[in-house]
Structures are given as structure tokens and as C-alpha cells.
Amino acid sequence: MRNIILFGGDFNPVHNGHINMAVSASRFLGDAPVVFIPAKIAIWKDESVDFKHKVNMLKLAIKDIPNMYISEWENENGKERTYSIETVRHFKELYPNDNLYLLIGNDQVNAFNFWKEAEEISRLVQIIYFVRPGHPLNNDNVHIYNMKKVPGEEKNIDSTAIRNLERSDTTPSVLKYIEENELYYIPKIKSYLIERRYVHTMSVADLSYKIALENKVVDGDKVYSAALLHDLAKSIPHDRAYELMGEYFPYYQDRVSPDVYHQFLGALIAYQDFNVRDKDILSAIYYHTTGHANMTSLEKLLFEADKIEPTRNFPSKWMIDACLENFEDGFVKVLEDNRKYLTEIKSDIDNILTDECYEFYLDK
């Protein structure tokens, strides 16, 4: 008699929290197989990305993880929406002699008493749950429906945050799939950028996240979101940019070169048009061209990736390698090379933020 874990959800898109739950549950039950069951359209949702995209992203996310499988039954059964009780009964018929477990998250635990035939679900399968940090848990439901907690590292991630560019905590392969298939935020971002600038933007996003992952930077996935938005103001005409600087950033209006206005205005667009409220993301955009003294990890990641991403027309591999090895040391190398380049072309680098950045990191 086997243990089999059923893991249903919208997976729109799948994220590292989902994967962490599945892996932890599998280990908890003796390396039991986990069957991901994406919903065509979840009961509690009004709409969802096309089902094929959910499945393709799931395949990418789990392709190198043992004991992970995908069932497309909720798309194949002919119904627009499928209740969990229907899915449980289906798998009970498929595996009548096995132990079935239903894996749910913190939010589902809290609302489980509102599920259709909740008591029947708890009779047919053992419900197991994963806690989400910072979120209250309905312990009454835990006891009433005999739920069991899955131990493991707790992650506070949700798909909505990824779609809203608040986080990007999923696998690089899934992010690449979103890019290539122009899902979620991509069409809106493309509407702000000419093709050449869009190619640069995606290259910065991919590289910055790669550096963050290689260096295990805490909350490093946020840099991907910042990178996607960092150049949105590039197409604003100079006169209009000057007006906006006077309206929103008067202190810097005449203290920095017009060539760097876009970093401030990019943060403004991210806030106003994309509803970004995360201060780490906004700050990384705000300083991505000039830098400043005592920069945060995210600010350094975006700064260095923007300067050295591989579609730029100069040999930057040695700096990319340096950043991948140690993003802090790589940042200083990028800063040194950038100052050398700007000096050689006699660029106007005399602005208070850049001077402050060089003095803090290079001229101690």
C-alpha cells in the first residue's frame, strides 16, 4: 500500500513555495509521489492563464525533482470548474488500495469549512497542511478535519505576488517561459519599451537574478522585478522628463545629468503604473544608474547587471564571472571599470550621487 499525495491548486504560476511544500510533504511521507493537479479555473478565481501554460510551467519547475508528477484530469473532465471533492473521488477510484493525502496551504486550512463536502473530503483522504509564516492558522479546522502538519522550511510566497511583480520567487526556467510566452506583466512592460531596450531589459533581469541565486542573496528574487521595470522611463522626451523631475524630484532636477533622470522616473512609473510598493524594488530602480553611498544588496545587483549584461557591445564576461563568484567584489570591479570608461569618453559624471558612490567605494 503506497502513500500518494494529491496537490491541487491554480498554480498561476507555480512558485518555489509550491515546490517546497511538495518536496517537504514527499519526504514527510517516506518519499511519497506528489501529483500536482492544476485547476482549469480555480473555484475561487474569476479567470486564469491558459491551462497549457500552467502545465508547461509545472513541467519546467519539477523536471529535475524525483517523485513529482502532473495530472491534467481537471482539464480533461469536461468541466469549466472542478470541486476538490470531485477530484478526491476520482483519485480514490484510481487508487482504491493506496493511502491518499491531500496537501493544502495555510489559506486553504482557514477556509476549509466552506469547501464543498468538507467532511466527506476529510473522510476519504488524510489532509496534510503547510504553514505560511506571518499568517494566522484556523486551529479549529485543523482539529475538526483531523489535519496533520507537514514539517519543513516555511516560505511566504504566493502567485499573486509574482504576477504583480512584487516577487519573482520561482525557477529561472519558469520566468523564462513567462518572458517567451508574454504572460502576465510582459505585454505591459513591452508597451513602454522599444525592441532594443526590451532586449536589454530582459537580459538585465536574467543576469541579475542569476547573480542573486549564485550568491544566495536574501530576497534576491526581488531584483528580477526591479530589473524588468528599471528602464521604463527611457522613452520620456527630455523636456517632459525635466518637468517631471521638477514636480517629483526637485532636489535632483539640476544636480544630476539628464542622462540619469530615467532612474528616478522609472521608480515613479513602477509606483504609479505598476502599483509597486516594495521599497527594496523601488530603491534598486531609483539608483540603478548612478549608485550612491552604502548601497543595499539589491541596489548593487541591479547596478552591476545593468552595466555588464551580455547584449551590451563590449567584453564584459570577466566582470560577469566576478559577480557570479562574489557579487560584492564584482560590484567594485564593475564600478571601477565604469568610472574608467566614463572618464575615457569624457562623459559628464559630475553629479552628487555618482561622486558619492565613487568616494564611498573606490576612494577611501
Side-chain angles (χ1 to χ4, degrees):
M1 184 177 289
R2 298 176 301 168
N3 293 331
I4 300 175
I5 301 167
L6 309 178
F7 189 12
D10 203 26
F11 303 117
N12 184 30
V14 60
H15 54 65
N16 289 331
H18 292 134
I19 302 304
N20 178 58
M21 286 175 64
V23 170
S24 299
S26 176
R27 290 174 180 166
F28 178 56
L29 293 171
D31 294 327
V34 178
V35 182
F36 287 81
I37 312 167
K40 187 174 183 179
I41 299 179
I43 294 295
W44 63 92
K45 303 286 186 180
D46 293 328
E47 58 182 358
S48 186
V49 72
D50 191 272
F51 185 83
K52 70 175 182 180
H53 292 311
K54 294 183 191 180
V55 172
N56 289 339
M57 288 187 282
L58 274 168
K59 287 178 179 178
L60 291 170
I62 68 174
K63 67 182 179 68
D64 297 321
I65 307 174
N67 303 316
M68 302 288 140
Y69 304 92
I70 301 170
S71 168
E72 299 186 33
W73 181 75
E74 290 197 6
N75 184 57
E76 295 169 346
N77 64 18
K79 298 182 179 182
E80 189 68 12
R81 299 173 192 267
T82 302
Y83 287 94
S84 294
I85 183 61
E86 297 173 287
T87 299
V88 165
R89 284 173 175 149
H90 168 74
F91 281 92
K92 196 69 178 175
E93 290 178 4
L94 277 182
Y95 307 110
N97 299 317
D98 293 310
N99 299 318
L100 296 187
Y101 295 79
L102 180 65
L103 176 61
I104 62 176
N106 203 129
D107 294 345
Q108 287 82 13
V109 171
N110 293 343
F112 193 79
N113 52 301
F114 298 108
W115 285 28
K116 184 177 181 180
E117 299 187 51
E119 290 185 8
E120 179 67 3
I121 294 174
S122 67
R123 188 186 68 81
L124 292 173
V125 296
Q126 171 63 60
I127 300 167
I128 55 177
Y129 70 93
F130 210 86
V131 172
R132 187 173 168 192
H135 291 254
L137 186 70
N138 186 335
N139 285 302
D140 288 341
N141 279 354
V142 171
H143 296 303
I144 291 170
Y145 300 104
N146 190 34
M147 300 178 180
K148 297 186 184 302
K149 180 181 177 181
V150 175
E153 180 186 2
E154 299 170 2
K155 293 179 177 289
N156 190 16
I157 312 167
D158 64 64
S159 297
T160 302
I162 294 176
R163 296 195 303 272
N164 291 345
L165 288 173
E166 297 164 12
R167 300 296 299 260
S168 300
D169 202 349
T170 186
T171 66
S173 59
V174 169
L175 293 175
K176 197 67 179 176
Y177 184 90
I178 292 170
E179 294 173 18
E180 292 173 348
N181 290 274
E182 299 190 9
L183 305 179
Y184 309 126
Y185 42 77
I186 294 297
K188 186 173 180 179
I189 289 171
K190 289 190 75 172
S191 71
Y192 282 78
L193 302 169
I194 61 173
E195 180 62 25
R196 176 177 58 82
R197 183 60 51 188
Y198 176 72
V199 170
H200 161 76
T201 292
M202 302 318 298
S203 184
V204 174
D206 294 343
L207 177 60
S208 62
Y209 194 22
K210 184 177 181 180
I211 295 171
L213 289 175
E214 286 292 321
N215 285 268
K216 297 180 173 58
V217 178
V218 176
D219 289 341
D221 67 283
K222 291 182 181 180
V223 76
Y224 183 87
S225 298
L228 289 178
L229 303 171
H230 81 284
D231 268 355
L232 294 182
K234 275 284 191 176
S235 62
I236 300 176
H238 176 269
D239 290 347
R240 179 57 180 156
Y242 187 78
E243 290 176 3
L244 289 170
M245 287 296 294
E247 183 177 354
Y248 290 98
F249 311 105
Y251 180 78
Y252 290 118
Q253 185 183 33
D254 295 311
R255 287 181 170 87
V256 299
S257 166
D259 291 339
V260 302
Y261 284 173
H262 72 281
Q263 70 176 15
F264 306 105
L265 300 179
L268 179 66
I269 292 173
Y271 184 89
Q272 290 186 339
D273 295 2
F274 287 80
N275 299 310
V276 174
R277 295 296 182 265
D278 188 287
K279 292 181 179 178
D280 295 334
I281 294 174
L282 294 173
S283 181
I285 300 169
Y286 193 88
Y287 294 112
H288 79 265
T289 301
T290 62
H292 68 103
N294 201 24
M295 293 170 71
T296 67
S297 296
L298 257 65
E299 290 167 357
K300 291 177 182 177
L301 287 169
L302 181 54
F303 181 95
E304 62 195 20
D306 181 44
K307 298 294 188 291
I308 64 175
E309 61 87 7
T311 71
R312 287 189 179 275
N313 192 26
F314 78 101
S316 61
K317 185 178 184 302
W318 67 276
M319 285 186 286
I320 293 174
D321 291 341
C323 292
L324 289 170
E325 182 175 349
N326 185 304
F327 84 98
E328 298 274 12
D329 295 341
F331 169 76
V332 174
K333 288 180 171 62
V334 171
L335 201 59
E336 289 172 338
D337 188 79
N338 189 60
R339 180 162 70 170
K340 178 182 176 183
Y341 167 73
L342 293 174
T343 301
E344 288 175 352
I345 66 172
K346 296 181 173 55
S347 173
D348 177 17
I349 60 173
D350 185 23
N351 70 68
I352 58 174
L353 286 171
T354 303
D355 291 344
E356 177 186 291
C357 185
Y358 289 154
E359 181 178 353
F360 188 86
Y361 291 102
L362 303 181
D363 299 329
K364 294 182 179 179

